[in-house]
Amino acid sequence: MNAAALKEWIAAGRLDEKLESLYGADQISAQRTRYCEAVDAFTELYGDRENLTLFSAPGRTEIAGNHTDHNHGRVVAASVNLDVIAVVSANDSGLIRIKSKGYKMDTVETGDLEVKPEEDNKAIALIRGVAARFVQKGHKIGGLDAYTTSNVLKGSGLSSSAAFEVLVGTILSHTYNGGSVDAVEIAKYAQYAENVYFGKPSGLMDQMASSVGSVITIDFADTENPVIEQMEFDMADMGCALCIVDVGGNHADLTHEYAAIPAEMKQVASFFGKEFLRGVTCRELLENAPAIREKFGDRAFLRAFHFVNENERVGKIVDAVRARDYGAFKKLIIESGNSSFRYLQNVYASSAPEEQGMSVALAIAEQVLDGCGAWRVHGGGFGGTTQNFVPFDKVEEFRREIEAVFGEGSCHILSIRPMGGVQVL
């Protein structure tokens, strides 16, 4: 349908059921407006079209398994009700053109999909990388025009880059492959794009959580065939809200900080003749601590120590969720956060010790939530966000204390989204 018909369809409530499932009943009106504005922006860029479609891919929240996926560990993660949306129309030009709100147009020729070093850390690398992987795996691609807009906070630990990659993969799957490329494959292609084309050595958790959706536990022992299980996790049953605090940091120039974590973990793994830490035990680490410290340094040892214990902790958190033992769950979340702070050391960047916004946010959370909630570093770390499980009767106090320090709107109350990357229309 064309732009006018699509906007009329949205305004008449024909998408309301899908919008409610993605965002919640209280967000339907706002999302109608958001999608219609995106259609207008598309039309202004590309002119009217007769074959417009809509897509969405969510941000994600990591619940457990901080920096374990890249060493074949276990995680618990969930998609959230913040997302990147796109208005899309196929074309026969051989060009993939994507304009994201606030950014310049990115154009990729479908016949030119080689890695381009000058595109490192740029969105165009993600587009080119996902398209390249589709071709390498025998799928079809073609030209398309798209306009995207996102409310996933950039640099927030909610994985805006993974959401964008998954969005591109979802668009290509539905536009040129009849939706036949499944969510797990799209996640793998997205990770490939980020690792090989974008130049960031991320694990697979972010992309998998965004693509598959809902609350999932993933075992990456075999990264080609990760074991994924969806879990029932009712925040209301726990009596808590999920509050993400944005401390105002930015991941843009910290790729070296993120890259050092898997690199150092793999150094320690090499001591045991392994490529990854999965399978190394805490006892083995402790028995070989002097030699590991001498060869690789203390931080590498501590990061490996975090991995082996965090990986075991994920299993305990899964058990607590399934047993609805929320007291144990919150205790384990706090343990996870303390391990990240002390051993993984990703709460602030070693290159910028004067900037410790997350440390401040964690201190406030501990003051307000001690004995009743849980708090921890969220996602990759180094200045993005903290994750907090806040009892309903503490939400306003928590928001007030946080926003007094970090400003109005810095405390985001999110919900778990029941689906990953989707074609909305």
Side-chain angles (χ1 to χ4, degrees):
M1 67 180 69
N2 65 15
L6 178 53
K7 289 176 62 180
E8 185 176 323
W9 181 283
I10 295 170
R14 304 291 292 274
L15 279 183
D16 284 2
E17 184 175 346
K18 178 58 72 69
L19 295 178
E20 181 175 354
S21 68
L22 292 174
Y23 307 104
D26 62 335
Q27 291 296 311
I28 290 174
S29 177
Q31 293 300 329
R32 281 183 186 173
T33 300
R34 182 183 179 218
Y35 276 83
C36 286
E37 288 175 350
V39 172
D40 286 338
F42 177 97
T43 305
E44 187 174 335
L45 279 169
Y46 304 112
D48 201 2
R49 300 288 176 82
E50 290 295 329
N51 60 341
L52 295 182
T53 53
L54 304 174
F55 294 87
S56 163
R60 70 96 181 99
T61 184
E62 171 204 276
I63 296 171
N66 198 208
H67 280 283
T68 57
D69 56 331
H70 46 59
N71 269 261
H72 292 203
R74 298 179 66 189
V75 302
V76 178
S79 53
V80 298
N81 61 332
L82 299 178
D83 65 345
V84 189
I85 64 171
V87 182
V88 179
S89 175
N91 68 50
D92 57 7
S93 69
L95 299 177
I96 297 174
R97 300 192 298 175
I98 300 181
K99 171 71 169 71
S100 298
K101 183 178 181 179
Y103 298 88
K104 68 178 184 63
M105 176 90 72
D106 288 314
T107 302
V108 171
E109 294 183 24
T110 57
D112 180 15
L113 299 177
E114 297 299 315
V115 175
K116 299 187 182 301
E118 67 272 18
E119 293 178 356
D120 275 6
N121 285 289
K122 296 178 181 177
I124 191 171
L126 301 176
I127 301 166
R128 195 183 304 276
V130 172
R133 200 59 167 169
F134 265 70
V135 172
Q136 291 165 15
K137 293 297 184 177
H139 302 299
K140 298 176 183 178
I141 65 169
L144 59 87
D145 294 321
Y147 173 82
T148 82
T149 181
S150 174
N151 59 12
V152 184
L153 306 170
K154 185 175 173 58
S156 67
L158 293 166
S159 295
S160 57
S161 61
F164 182 76
E165 298 153 14
V166 167
L167 182 73
V168 174
T170 304
I171 290 169
L172 290 174
S173 174
H174 285 274
T175 304
Y176 286 104
N177 298 274
S180 63
V181 186
D182 68 32
V184 172
E185 288 303 305
I186 289 172
K188 292 178 183 177
Y189 302 169
Q191 185 206 21
Y192 173 86
E194 187 156 324
N195 290 177
V196 177
Y197 281 71
F198 188 77
K200 182 177 178 180
S202 70
L204 186 54
M205 177 185 65
D206 296 352
Q207 293 83 0
M208 199 68 76
S210 177
S211 190
V212 175
S214 189
V215 180
I216 56 175
T217 179
I218 316 169
D219 190 330
F220 290 111
D222 177 359
T223 55
E224 287 302 307
N225 299 285
V227 178
I228 305 165
E229 297 178 63
Q230 289 190 314
M231 299 192 302
E232 290 188 15
F233 184 26
D234 188 345
M235 294 288 293
D237 189 40
M238 185 167 62
C240 288
L242 174 62
C243 297
I244 301 296
V245 174
D246 180 10
V247 304
N250 194 309
H251 293 194
D253 58 353
L254 294 174
T255 296
H256 64 289
E257 295 277 5
Y258 299 110
I261 292 176
E264 290 177 10
M265 287 184 180
K266 289 172 185 176
Q267 284 177 342
V268 177
S270 72
F271 181 90
F272 297 97
K274 297 176 179 289
E275 186 177 358
F276 304 99
L277 275 174
R278 182 68 178 265
V280 175
T281 67
C282 188
R283 175 46 49 194
E284 287 174 320
L285 276 180
L286 294 173
E287 288 176 350
N288 292 279
I292 293 169
R293 293 177 64 209
E294 181 178 357
K295 189 170 185 179
F296 303 116
D298 286 343
R299 191 173 72 172
F301 172 80
L302 289 169
R303 284 176 163 170
F305 184 81
H306 164 81
F307 173 89
V308 297
N309 287 285
E310 181 76 350
N311 201 49
E312 182 178 340
R313 189 178 294 114
V314 168
K316 296 177 181 177
I317 288 173
V318 169
D319 290 343
V321 169
R322 287 178 171 155
R324 297 187 177 182
D325 186 348
Y326 298 125
F329 170 83
K330 288 183 279 190
K331 178 175 180 290
L332 289 162
I333 292 296
I334 293 170
E335 287 181 9
S336 173
N338 287 339
S339 180
S340 293
F341 205 149
R342 293 185 293 179
Y343 309 134
L344 185 61
Q345 299 178 34
N346 69 329
V347 169
Y348 61 89
S350 59
S351 57
E354 70 282 359
E355 298 179 19
Q356 297 194 34
M358 278 208 292
S359 304
V360 175
L362 292 168
I364 294 169
E366 183 173 10
Q367 184 72 21
V368 177
L369 303 179
D370 190 26
C372 63
W375 56 94
R376 50 160 289 186
V377 57
H378 183 238
F382 300 119
T385 55
T386 65
Q387 178 188 75
N388 306 271
F389 295 91
V390 183
F392 293 135
D393 62 358
K394 286 276 190 178
V395 168
E396 289 310 312
E397 178 189 358
F398 181 79
R399 190 207 300 267
R400 183 174 64 251
E401 295 290 343
I402 286 293
E403 295 191 348
V405 175
F406 295 103
E408 186 176 354
S410 56
C411 180
H412 301 269
I413 301 175
L414 305 184
S415 62
I416 304 299
R417 166 168 154 158
M419 62 192 74
V422 293
Q423 184 174 29
V424 181
L425 177 71

